[in-house]
Amino acid sequence: MDYSKSGNPKGARSTLRGPDHAQKGAPKAVKPPRETPEQLLARMKAAAAKKDDKA
């Protein structure tokens, strides 16, 4: 009996994945600009004033 032919077939090891897989030169993701501390403080003060007006 030929035991080398028994069992599941082995998968392909070095096959190419196709043209759309991990293309080089893709545009990098751009993060939105961060808030400066002055802008953050102004936003927090506005939210606090709005909360005081509501109550």
Side-chain angles (χ1 to χ4, degrees):
M1 181 171 189
D2 190 4
Y3 289 105
S4 67
K5 304 296 181 197
S6 63
N8 293 330
K10 296 192 175 168
R13 295 185 181 187
S14 63
T15 58
L16 299 174
R17 294 185 177 212
D20 60 339
H21 180 77
Q23 288 184 340
K24 292 182 180 177
K28 300 289 182 187
V30 178
K31 293 182 182 177
R34 289 190 61 175
E35 216 173 15
T36 63
E38 292 82 19
Q39 292 171 336
L40 175 64
L41 188 60
R43 185 168 56 87
M44 290 172 67
K45 285 182 180 179
K50 187 176 181 183
K51 185 177 179 183
D52 289 340
D53 290 343
K54 207 176 200 185

